[in-house]
Every structure is written in structure tokens, then in C-alpha cells.
Amino acid sequence: MKEKILLCDGDSWTAGDIVDPEIFGEQLEHVNHPDNRPYRLPRVWPHKLGKLLGVDVENKSVAGSSNDAIVRRVVGDVIDLLQTYQPNEIYVIIGWSSPERKDFFFKGEWDGDFLKSWETLYPAQYSQNLPNKEVEKFYDTYLKYFWHEEEYLNRYINQNLYLHYFLKSKGIRHMFFDAFYQSKEVDMFHNHDLVDNLKKSETNIVDEFLNVRKQIFKDISFRRFLMGDNDKLDKDLFQEFHPSEKAHSMWAKELYKDLK
């Protein structure tokens, strides 16, 4: 591998779901705080993989991220990196989040502040931090009428194809993998991969995605790698529902075998 910089993006399975106990105690809501980066980033797989490969690493992942946000960040970050690096000096690895998460651009009052920002809805979670009754009503309507597997799996496929062909057009090599999958029926205790659902659908867009997937995807999800064929979380490899530092080290070594 001759690249000079490794750009990684994803959700908490790439960003890490850990906080510096000396600064934040056990307050995980500060996981994305800038002051937590020096503690968090060396403990997750992108930094560990970078050390194995001997390359610099930009880990732009955000805990709680949706795939919508991953695509937005990666496109902007790649354009920025191309101001400094040649395309063959950049390698991109994407750890996709569960596809049911959905971003909306919000303008209005949120917890006493006026916000203009992308906000993520988490339909597979039981609770959602929402600012007012009107947004709660919208969220309930979205869950009842618009949150369906047909929509979010189609969106996931299009995100993959768009980002793959964008990176290919720039001459940038890349690898994608799935971190985990949640849906109405599947939670973190069920060892189920979303590709199992995709293979049931016979359309030309699914066929195109599955062909692309053979070329650029890691052949196993992060969760499946850690759980094997078990439906039980190993306490050495998981902290709550997130990979432990030991698990991040194992995943870095697994990816290194593909990239070295």
C-alpha cells in the first residue's frame, strides 16, 4: 500500500463510543467533543490500522452518524484532500452505519437555541431527543407512514453507488464495510446483516449494487466479525453495544490483511 493518508468515516463503530474519564467522567453525550479526540481516536481501529500501515490517518467519523451524513462529509473531505494529495496518495475506508437513520435539515428553536443544521432521526431507537411538540408529531407521522425497509434500503444502495462512483471518478481507491444493522425486527442482539435482505430483492439496481459490493466491500460486517455465528455479545469485545478497544484492535488487524 503506497498511499500517504487514510481517510476513514462512519458512526460510533469507527469514531469510538468512549470518553476521557478525567475530563467527562461517564458522560457519553460528550463523545464527539473536540477535547475528547486525543483520548478517543488512538483507541479505535482507524488509528490502529494507520500504525500498522505506516500512514497518516484522518478519522472524520461522528458517533451517532447516519449514512446521509457520512456521504456529505466524505465528498467534502475528499475534495479538500485533493488540494494537498494526489489521488493515488489517498485511500478511503467507509464503515457504513445502520441505514434506517435519516437526516433532515432543521431550522428553528431547539432546546432554547435557534438551529440551522442537519439533524438525525433514529427510528430503530425507542426514544428521540426532539425539541417541541410539532417535531414530535412529525416524527410520529414519519414512523407510522414513511419509515419502511423499502425506503431506507433503497437509500442505502444509492448512497453506496453514488460514493463508489464519485471516488472512482477521482481515481481514489476505497473499501466499504457494514458496521451493524438495526430495523423494526432486528436489534443489536440479533446477528443479522442487511445484505441478507437485499439478496431477496430482484431488481436491476440491487443487482448493480451487489456486483459493486463484490469489488469494494469487506466480505463481513464488523458486528458479524466480532460475534461469529453467536447471538450473544462477548463482554471482552463489547462495551454495551459498541466494540471495545480490544475489538477495534482485532478489526484493524483484519483490515490490514486486506490492505497490506
Side-chain angles (χ1 to χ4, degrees), residues 11 37 56 88 102 118 120 161 191 207:
D11 64 357
R37 290 175 63 85
D56 292 332
N88 63 356
K102 170 70 176 173
W118 289 99
T120 302
L161 293 178
N191 204 351
D207 291 343

Side-chain angles (χ1 to χ4, degrees), residues 10-29:
D11 64 357
S12 55
W13 283 53
T14 300
D17 191 57
I18 50 178
V19 293
D20 188 336
E22 294 188 2
I23 300 177
F24 301 110
E26 297 181 356
Q27 298 175 314
L28 284 175
E29 63 268 24

Side-chain angles (χ1 to χ4, degrees), residues 179-207:
F180 65 97
Y181 175 50
Q182 281 183 291
S183 71
K184 293 180 180 179
E185 296 79 21
V186 180
D187 61 25
M188 290 302 295
F189 292 106
H190 291 85
N191 204 351
H192 182 85
D193 291 339
L194 66 92
V195 71
D196 298 335
N197 292 33
L198 292 174
K199 289 178 178 178
K200 300 174 186 176
S201 176
E202 296 181 5
T203 68
N204 57 359
I205 186 174
V206 172
D207 291 343

Side-chain angles (χ1 to χ4, degrees), residues 48-49 52 248-258:
K48 295 175 183 292
L49 178 59
L52 291 172
H248 279 283
S249 296
M250 292 170 56
W251 189 238
K253 292 176 182 177
E254 176 69 14
L255 295 178
Y256 175 68
K257 291 191 299 183
D258 294 323

Side-chain angles (χ1 to χ4, degrees), residues 33 40 122 187-188 209 246:
H33 194 285
R40 171 174 57 83
Y122 303 93
D187 61 25
M188 290 302 295
F209 168 65
K246 177 181 177 181

